Amino acid sequence: MNACDQGRGFTEEQEALVVKSWSVMKSNAGELGLQFFFKIFEIAPSAQKLFSFLRDSNVPLEQNPKLKHHAMSVFLMTCESAVQLRKSGKVTVRESSLKKLGAAHFKYDVVNEHFEVAKFALLETIKEAVGEMWSAEMKNAWGEAYDHLVAAIKSQMKPAE
Ligand code: HEM
Protein backbone atom coordinates (compact mmCIF):
# COMPACT_ATOMS: atom_id res chain seq x y z
CA MET A 1 0.00 0.00 0.00
CA ASN A 2 1.14 3.47 -0.68
CA ALA A 3 -0.25 6.49 1.07
CA CYS A 4 -0.45 10.22 1.06
CA ASP A 5 -0.31 11.14 4.65
CA GLN A 6 -1.72 14.57 5.45
CA GLY A 7 -5.42 13.87 5.61
CA ARG A 8 -5.90 13.88 9.36
CA GLY A 9 -8.89 15.97 10.13
CA PHE A 10 -11.12 14.94 7.23
CA THR A 11 -14.37 14.68 9.12
CA GLU A 12 -17.35 12.40 8.99
CA GLU A 13 -19.44 15.38 7.83
CA GLN A 14 -17.08 16.01 4.92
CA GLU A 15 -17.18 12.36 3.91
CA ALA A 16 -20.98 12.42 4.15
CA LEU A 17 -21.14 15.50 1.88
CA VAL A 18 -19.05 13.82 -0.78
CA VAL A 19 -20.88 10.50 -0.57
CA LYS A 20 -24.30 12.17 -0.56
CA SER A 21 -23.59 14.27 -3.63
CA TRP A 22 -21.98 11.35 -5.43
CA SER A 23 -25.06 9.20 -4.83
CA VAL A 24 -27.15 11.89 -6.55
CA MET A 25 -24.75 12.14 -9.49
CA LYS A 26 -23.93 8.45 -9.90
CA SER A 27 -26.74 7.51 -12.26
CA ASN A 28 -25.70 10.30 -14.60
CA ALA A 29 -21.97 9.84 -14.16
CA GLY A 30 -21.12 9.28 -17.84
CA GLU A 31 -22.75 12.52 -18.93
CA LEU A 32 -21.26 14.46 -16.01
CA GLY A 33 -17.85 13.05 -16.79
CA LEU A 34 -18.08 14.48 -20.29
CA GLN A 35 -19.28 17.85 -19.04
CA PHE A 36 -16.34 17.86 -16.67
CA PHE A 37 -13.84 17.26 -19.47
CA PHE A 38 -15.49 19.76 -21.78
CA LYS A 39 -14.96 22.35 -19.07
CA ILE A 40 -11.31 21.41 -18.80
CA PHE A 41 -10.84 21.73 -22.56
CA GLU A 42 -12.74 25.03 -22.62
CA ILE A 43 -10.37 26.55 -20.07
CA ALA A 44 -7.25 24.79 -21.31
CA PRO A 45 -7.71 23.66 -24.95
CA SER A 46 -4.11 22.45 -25.08
CA ALA A 47 -4.98 19.72 -22.56
CA GLN A 48 -6.68 17.82 -25.40
CA LYS A 49 -3.32 17.18 -26.99
CA LEU A 50 -2.23 15.20 -23.93
CA PHE A 51 -4.64 12.38 -24.59
CA SER A 52 -3.22 10.00 -27.15
CA PHE A 53 -6.65 8.50 -27.73
CA LEU A 54 -7.99 11.95 -28.72
CA ARG A 55 -5.06 12.80 -30.95
CA ASP A 56 -5.36 9.55 -32.88
CA SER A 57 -9.12 9.49 -33.14
CA ASN A 58 -11.72 10.78 -35.57
CA VAL A 59 -14.54 10.02 -33.17
CA PRO A 60 -16.21 13.18 -31.78
CA LEU A 61 -15.15 13.94 -28.21
CA GLU A 62 -18.52 13.14 -26.73
CA GLN A 63 -18.48 9.67 -28.21
CA ASN A 64 -14.99 8.79 -27.12
CA PRO A 65 -15.32 5.95 -24.59
CA LYS A 66 -11.82 6.44 -23.23
CA LEU A 67 -12.46 10.06 -22.39
CA LYS A 68 -15.59 9.09 -20.53
CA HIS A 69 -13.66 6.37 -18.75
CA HIS A 70 -10.96 8.80 -17.65
CA ALA A 71 -13.51 11.33 -16.43
CA MET A 72 -15.30 8.65 -14.42
CA SER A 73 -11.98 7.58 -12.89
CA VAL A 74 -11.40 11.09 -11.61
CA PHE A 75 -14.89 11.31 -10.09
CA LEU A 76 -14.83 7.83 -8.58
CA MET A 77 -11.33 7.94 -7.21
CA THR A 78 -11.92 11.35 -5.64
CA CYS A 79 -15.05 10.02 -3.97
CA GLU A 80 -13.18 6.93 -2.74
CA SER A 81 -10.42 9.18 -1.43
CA ALA A 82 -12.92 11.05 0.71
CA VAL A 83 -14.00 7.76 2.31
CA GLN A 84 -10.41 6.70 2.90
CA LEU A 85 -9.39 10.07 4.29
CA ARG A 86 -12.10 9.91 6.90
CA LYS A 87 -11.38 6.28 7.77
CA SER A 88 -7.61 6.35 7.96
CA GLY A 89 -6.50 9.95 7.46
CA LYS A 90 -4.82 9.11 4.19
CA VAL A 91 -5.47 8.35 0.55
CA THR A 92 -4.64 4.74 -0.13
CA VAL A 93 -4.29 3.49 -3.66
CA ARG A 94 -2.79 0.06 -4.33
CA GLU A 95 0.91 0.68 -4.80
CA SER A 96 1.03 -0.88 -8.27
CA SER A 97 -1.94 1.24 -9.41
CA LEU A 98 -0.47 4.38 -7.96
CA LYS A 99 2.85 3.73 -9.69
CA LYS A 100 1.01 3.25 -12.99
CA LEU A 101 -1.03 6.39 -12.45
CA GLY A 102 2.06 8.41 -11.61
CA ALA A 103 3.96 7.04 -14.60
CA ALA A 104 1.05 7.68 -17.04
CA HIS A 105 0.65 11.29 -15.97
CA PHE A 106 4.41 11.78 -16.07
CA LYS A 107 4.69 10.23 -19.53
CA TYR A 108 1.97 12.45 -20.98
CA ASP A 109 3.36 15.64 -19.41
CA VAL A 110 0.42 16.41 -17.17
CA VAL A 111 1.58 19.40 -15.10
CA ASN A 112 0.37 21.27 -12.00
CA GLU A 113 -1.77 23.62 -14.05
CA HIS A 114 -3.73 20.72 -15.55
CA PHE A 115 -4.50 19.37 -12.11
CA GLU A 116 -5.56 22.87 -11.02
CA VAL A 117 -7.84 23.40 -14.02
CA ALA A 118 -9.29 19.92 -13.50
CA LYS A 119 -10.03 20.74 -9.86
CA PHE A 120 -11.89 23.90 -10.85
CA ALA A 121 -13.81 22.05 -13.58
CA LEU A 122 -14.65 19.15 -11.25
CA LEU A 123 -16.08 21.47 -8.59
CA GLU A 124 -18.07 23.44 -11.18
CA THR A 125 -19.51 20.24 -12.62
CA ILE A 126 -20.59 18.99 -9.21
CA LYS A 127 -22.06 22.39 -8.34
CA GLU A 128 -24.22 22.36 -11.47
CA ALA A 129 -25.19 18.74 -10.99
CA VAL A 130 -26.36 18.90 -7.39
CA GLY A 131 -28.18 22.24 -7.56
CA GLU A 132 -29.48 23.35 -4.18
CA MET A 133 -27.53 20.71 -2.31
CA TRP A 134 -24.33 22.64 -3.12
CA SER A 135 -22.57 24.48 -0.29
CA ALA A 136 -19.17 25.91 0.62
CA GLU A 137 -18.65 22.90 2.88
CA MET A 138 -19.41 20.49 0.05
CA LYS A 139 -16.96 22.35 -2.19
CA ASN A 140 -14.24 22.12 0.46
CA ALA A 141 -14.86 18.42 1.06
CA TRP A 142 -14.53 17.49 -2.65
CA GLY A 143 -11.62 19.92 -3.03
CA GLU A 144 -9.71 18.40 -0.14
CA ALA A 145 -10.31 14.84 -1.27
CA TYR A 146 -9.12 15.78 -4.78
CA ASP A 147 -6.01 17.56 -3.45
CA HIS A 148 -4.96 14.53 -1.44
CA LEU A 149 -5.49 12.19 -4.36
CA VAL A 150 -3.49 14.43 -6.67
CA ALA A 151 -0.69 14.65 -4.08
CA ALA A 152 -0.57 10.84 -4.04
CA ILE A 153 -0.40 10.70 -7.86
CA LYS A 154 2.26 13.43 -7.99
CA SER A 155 4.38 11.58 -5.46
CA GLN A 156 4.72 8.82 -8.08
CA MET A 157 5.13 11.00 -11.17
CA LYS A 158 8.35 9.58 -12.52
CA PRO A 159 9.30 7.34 -15.43
CA ALA A 160 7.89 3.81 -15.29
CA GLU A 161 10.37 1.37 -13.73
C1 HEM B 1 -4.47 8.45 -17.61
C2 HEM B 1 -6.81 9.05 -13.42
C3 HEM B 1 -6.07 13.85 -13.68
C4 HEM B 1 -4.45 13.29 -18.17
C5 HEM B 1 -5.18 8.18 -16.46
C6 HEM B 1 -5.61 6.88 -16.01
C7 HEM B 1 -6.30 7.05 -14.86
C8 HEM B 1 -6.27 8.46 -14.54
C9 HEM B 1 -6.96 5.98 -13.99
C10 HEM B 1 -5.36 5.55 -16.73
C11 HEM B 1 -6.23 5.24 -17.86
C12 HEM B 1 -7.58 5.89 -18.01
O1 HEM B 1 -8.45 5.82 -17.13
O2 HEM B 1 -7.82 6.49 -19.07
C13 HEM B 1 -6.71 10.39 -13.09
C14 HEM B 1 -7.08 10.96 -11.81
C15 HEM B 1 -6.86 12.31 -11.88
C16 HEM B 1 -6.36 12.59 -13.20
C17 HEM B 1 -7.65 10.15 -10.64
C18 HEM B 1 -7.09 13.40 -10.86
C19 HEM B 1 -7.38 13.18 -9.59
C20 HEM B 1 -5.65 14.13 -14.95
C21 HEM B 1 -5.53 15.44 -15.53
C22 HEM B 1 -5.12 15.28 -16.81
C23 HEM B 1 -4.93 13.87 -17.03
C24 HEM B 1 -5.82 16.73 -14.80
C25 HEM B 1 -4.87 16.33 -17.86
C26 HEM B 1 -5.71 17.29 -18.12
C27 HEM B 1 -4.24 11.94 -18.36
C28 HEM B 1 -3.61 11.40 -19.57
C29 HEM B 1 -3.60 10.00 -19.40
C30 HEM B 1 -4.23 9.72 -18.11
C31 HEM B 1 -3.09 12.21 -20.75
C32 HEM B 1 -3.08 8.97 -20.39
C33 HEM B 1 -4.15 8.72 -21.40
C34 HEM B 1 -3.68 8.01 -22.64
O3 HEM B 1 -3.48 6.78 -22.55
O4 HEM B 1 -3.54 8.67 -23.66
N1 HEM B 1 -5.60 9.13 -15.55
N2 HEM B 1 -6.28 11.40 -13.91
N3 HEM B 1 -5.30 13.19 -15.89
N4 HEM B 1 -4.59 10.92 -17.53
FE1 HEM B 1 -5.45 11.14 -15.73
Side-chain angles (χ1 to χ4, degrees):
M1 293 285 207
N2 202 316
C4 175
D5 213 355
Q6 296 134 21
R8 301 255 168 247
F10 200 84
T11 64
E12 236 167 84
E13 288 73 25
Q14 286 179 298
E15 180 198 19
L17 288 168
V18 171
V19 171
K20 180 169 94 171
S21 45
W22 175 243
S23 68
V24 169
M25 294 185 287
K26 215 160 37 182
S27 59
N28 196 20
E31 183 54 35
L32 290 173
L34 284 177
Q35 281 178 27
F36 163 49
F37 261 81
F38 283 140
K39 277 193 209 296
I40 295 183
F41 297 151
E42 214 175 276
I43 308 168
S46 63
Q48 273 193 53
K49 294 199 207 88
L50 300 173
F51 290 88
S52 56
F53 52 76
L54 296 181
R55 276 199 310 266
D56 309 336
S57 164
N58 297 321
V59 181
L61 274 189
E62 64 278 10
Q63 285 164 25
N64 192 306
K66 290 190 175 171
L67 185 66
K68 225 181 219 181
H69 182 267
H70 182 269
M72 299 268 282
S73 300
V74 179
F75 263 102
L76 256 177
M77 291 181 72
T78 307
C79 186
E80 281 163 7
S81 298
V83 176
Q84 294 159 1
L85 279 169
R86 201 270 309 153
K87 270 198 196 137
S88 63
K90 53 196 177 203
V91 169
T92 317
V93 182
R94 256 194 313 131
E95 186 161 337
S96 55
S97 313
L98 193 56
K99 281 213 160 83
K100 265 193 215 148
L101 269 178
H105 293 91
F106 178 82
K107 178 175 164 199
Y108 288 100
D109 287 329
V110 181
V111 294
N112 273 343
E113 285 76 7
H114 295 123
F115 286 114
E116 282 303 312
V117 170
K119 179 179 179 183
F120 178 82
L122 179 74
L123 297 175
E124 281 294 303
T125 306
I126 299 168
K127 177 180 170 183
E128 286 166 20
V130 301
E132 290 192 349
M133 193 191 274
W134 184 246
S135 64
E137 291 75 24
M138 189 174 276
K139 179 178 177 181
N140 286 339
W142 275 96
E144 241 184 78
Y146 177 87
D147 286 344
H148 283 286
L149 175 59
V150 168
I153 296 175
K154 281 189 189 162
S155 73
Q156 296 298 318
M157 279 184 65
K158 46 195 171 203
E161 281 160 15

Short mmCIF file of all heavy atoms in Angstrom, two decimals, residues 5 17 19 23 31 33 40 49 54 57 75-76 84 87 109 115 118 129 138 140 159:
data_model
loop_
_atom_site.label_atom_id
_atom_site.label_comp_id
_atom_site.label_asym_id
_atom_site.label_seq_id
_atom_site.Cartn_x
_atom_site.Cartn_y
_atom_site.Cartn_z
N ASP A 5 -0.05 11.20 3.22
CA ASP A 5 -0.31 11.14 4.65
C ASP A 5 -0.73 12.44 5.34
O ASP A 5 -0.38 12.64 6.50
CB ASP A 5 0.97 10.61 5.31
CG ASP A 5 0.63 9.77 6.52
OD1 ASP A 5 -0.54 9.70 6.86
OD2 ASP A 5 1.57 9.22 7.12
N LEU A 17 -20.80 14.56 2.95
CA LEU A 17 -21.14 15.50 1.88
C LEU A 17 -20.71 14.97 0.52
O LEU A 17 -21.46 15.07 -0.47
CB LEU A 17 -20.47 16.86 2.14
CG LEU A 17 -21.07 17.68 3.28
CD1 LEU A 17 -20.17 18.85 3.64
CD2 LEU A 17 -22.47 18.18 2.89
N VAL A 19 -20.14 11.73 -0.25
CA VAL A 19 -20.88 10.50 -0.57
C VAL A 19 -22.31 10.84 -0.99
O VAL A 19 -22.85 10.29 -1.95
CB VAL A 19 -20.85 9.52 0.63
CG1 VAL A 19 -21.79 8.35 0.40
CG2 VAL A 19 -19.43 9.02 0.85
N SER A 23 -23.92 10.12 -4.63
CA SER A 23 -25.06 9.20 -4.83
C SER A 23 -26.14 9.86 -5.71
O SER A 23 -26.86 9.19 -6.43
CB SER A 23 -25.62 8.72 -3.50
OG SER A 23 -26.22 9.80 -2.84
N GLU A 31 -22.46 11.19 -18.39
CA GLU A 31 -22.75 12.52 -18.93
C GLU A 31 -21.96 13.60 -18.17
O GLU A 31 -21.36 14.51 -18.75
CB GLU A 31 -24.26 12.76 -18.80
CG GLU A 31 -24.78 14.05 -19.35
CD GLU A 31 -24.39 14.26 -20.81
OE1 GLU A 31 -24.32 13.29 -21.59
OE2 GLU A 31 -24.16 15.44 -21.14
N GLY A 33 -19.26 13.20 -16.50
CA GLY A 33 -17.85 13.05 -16.79
C GLY A 33 -17.47 13.83 -18.05
O GLY A 33 -16.44 14.49 -18.12
N ILE A 40 -12.78 21.36 -18.81
CA ILE A 40 -11.31 21.41 -18.80
C ILE A 40 -10.80 21.92 -20.15
O ILE A 40 -9.98 22.83 -20.22
CB ILE A 40 -10.70 20.02 -18.51
CG1 ILE A 40 -11.07 19.57 -17.10
CG2 ILE A 40 -9.17 20.04 -18.71
CD1 ILE A 40 -10.45 18.24 -16.69
N LYS A 49 -4.46 17.80 -26.29
CA LYS A 49 -3.32 17.18 -26.99
C LYS A 49 -2.65 16.12 -26.13
O LYS A 49 -1.90 15.29 -26.62
CB LYS A 49 -2.29 18.25 -27.35
CG LYS A 49 -2.79 19.23 -28.37
CD LYS A 49 -1.60 19.95 -29.03
CE LYS A 49 -1.98 21.33 -29.52
NZ LYS A 49 -1.82 22.38 -28.50
N LEU A 54 -7.27 10.86 -28.03
CA LEU A 54 -7.99 11.95 -28.72
C LEU A 54 -7.23 12.38 -29.96
O LEU A 54 -7.81 12.65 -31.00
CB LEU A 54 -8.17 13.16 -27.78
CG LEU A 54 -9.02 12.93 -26.54
CD1 LEU A 54 -9.13 14.21 -25.73
CD2 LEU A 54 -10.40 12.43 -26.91
N SER A 57 -7.76 9.96 -32.94
CA SER A 57 -9.12 9.49 -33.14
C SER A 57 -9.94 10.48 -33.96
O SER A 57 -9.80 11.70 -33.81
CB SER A 57 -9.77 9.31 -31.77
OG SER A 57 -11.15 9.20 -31.92
N PHE A 75 -13.76 11.18 -11.02
CA PHE A 75 -14.89 11.31 -10.09
C PHE A 75 -14.84 10.22 -9.02
O PHE A 75 -14.88 10.49 -7.83
CB PHE A 75 -16.22 11.15 -10.85
CG PHE A 75 -16.84 12.46 -11.23
CD1 PHE A 75 -16.74 12.93 -12.52
CD2 PHE A 75 -17.53 13.21 -10.30
CE1 PHE A 75 -17.32 14.14 -12.89
CE2 PHE A 75 -18.10 14.42 -10.65
CZ PHE A 75 -18.00 14.89 -11.95
N LEU A 76 -14.75 8.99 -9.50
CA LEU A 76 -14.83 7.83 -8.58
C LEU A 76 -13.69 7.81 -7.59
O LEU A 76 -13.89 7.61 -6.39
CB LEU A 76 -14.77 6.54 -9.40
CG LEU A 76 -16.08 5.83 -9.59
CD1 LEU A 76 -15.86 4.61 -10.48
CD2 LEU A 76 -16.62 5.37 -8.23
N GLN A 84 -11.66 7.14 2.28
CA GLN A 84 -10.41 6.70 2.90
C GLN A 84 -9.84 7.75 3.85
O GLN A 84 -9.31 7.43 4.91
CB GLN A 84 -9.36 6.40 1.82
CG GLN A 84 -9.71 5.22 0.95
CD GLN A 84 -8.97 5.27 -0.37
OE1 GLN A 84 -8.17 6.18 -0.62
NE2 GLN A 84 -9.23 4.31 -1.23
N LYS A 87 -11.65 7.52 7.05
CA LYS A 87 -11.38 6.28 7.77
C LYS A 87 -9.98 6.22 8.35
O LYS A 87 -9.78 5.81 9.48
CB LYS A 87 -11.51 5.08 6.80
CG LYS A 87 -12.89 4.51 6.73
CD LYS A 87 -12.82 3.10 6.13
CE LYS A 87 -14.20 2.67 5.68
NZ LYS A 87 -14.19 2.02 4.38
N ASP A 109 3.08 14.24 -19.75
CA ASP A 109 3.36 15.64 -19.41
C ASP A 109 2.20 16.37 -18.77
O ASP A 109 1.94 17.54 -19.09
CB ASP A 109 3.79 16.43 -20.67
CG ASP A 109 5.18 16.06 -21.11
OD1 ASP A 109 5.99 15.71 -20.24
OD2 ASP A 109 5.44 16.12 -22.32
N PHE A 115 -3.80 19.86 -13.29
CA PHE A 115 -4.50 19.37 -12.11
C PHE A 115 -5.35 20.48 -11.49
O PHE A 115 -6.43 20.25 -10.98
CB PHE A 115 -3.50 18.82 -11.08
CG PHE A 115 -2.91 17.48 -11.46
CD1 PHE A 115 -1.56 17.33 -11.76
CD2 PHE A 115 -3.72 16.34 -11.52
CE1 PHE A 115 -1.03 16.09 -12.11
CE2 PHE A 115 -3.20 15.09 -11.87
CZ PHE A 115 -1.85 14.97 -12.17
N ALA A 118 -8.37 21.05 -13.69
CA ALA A 118 -9.29 19.92 -13.50
C ALA A 118 -10.03 20.06 -12.18
O ALA A 118 -11.22 19.74 -12.08
CB ALA A 118 -8.51 18.61 -13.55
N ALA A 129 -24.43 20.00 -11.03
CA ALA A 129 -25.19 18.74 -10.99
C ALA A 129 -26.07 18.62 -9.75
O ALA A 129 -27.17 18.06 -9.83
CB ALA A 129 -24.22 17.56 -11.05
N MET A 138 -19.49 21.57 1.03
CA MET A 138 -19.41 20.49 0.05
C MET A 138 -18.22 20.74 -0.90
O MET A 138 -17.46 19.82 -1.23
CB MET A 138 -20.72 20.38 -0.74
CG MET A 138 -20.80 19.16 -1.61
SD MET A 138 -22.41 18.99 -2.38
CE MET A 138 -23.35 18.18 -1.11
N ASN A 140 -15.49 22.39 -0.24
CA ASN A 140 -14.24 22.12 0.46
C ASN A 140 -13.97 20.63 0.59
O ASN A 140 -12.84 20.18 0.48
CB ASN A 140 -14.26 22.72 1.88
CG ASN A 140 -14.09 24.22 1.81
OD1 ASN A 140 -13.59 24.74 0.82
ND2 ASN A 140 -14.53 24.92 2.85
N PRO A 159 9.36 8.33 -14.35
CA PRO A 159 9.30 7.34 -15.43
C PRO A 159 8.95 5.96 -14.90
O PRO A 159 9.33 5.63 -13.76
CB PRO A 159 10.72 7.34 -16.00
CG PRO A 159 11.35 8.61 -15.52
CD PRO A 159 10.66 9.01 -14.27
#
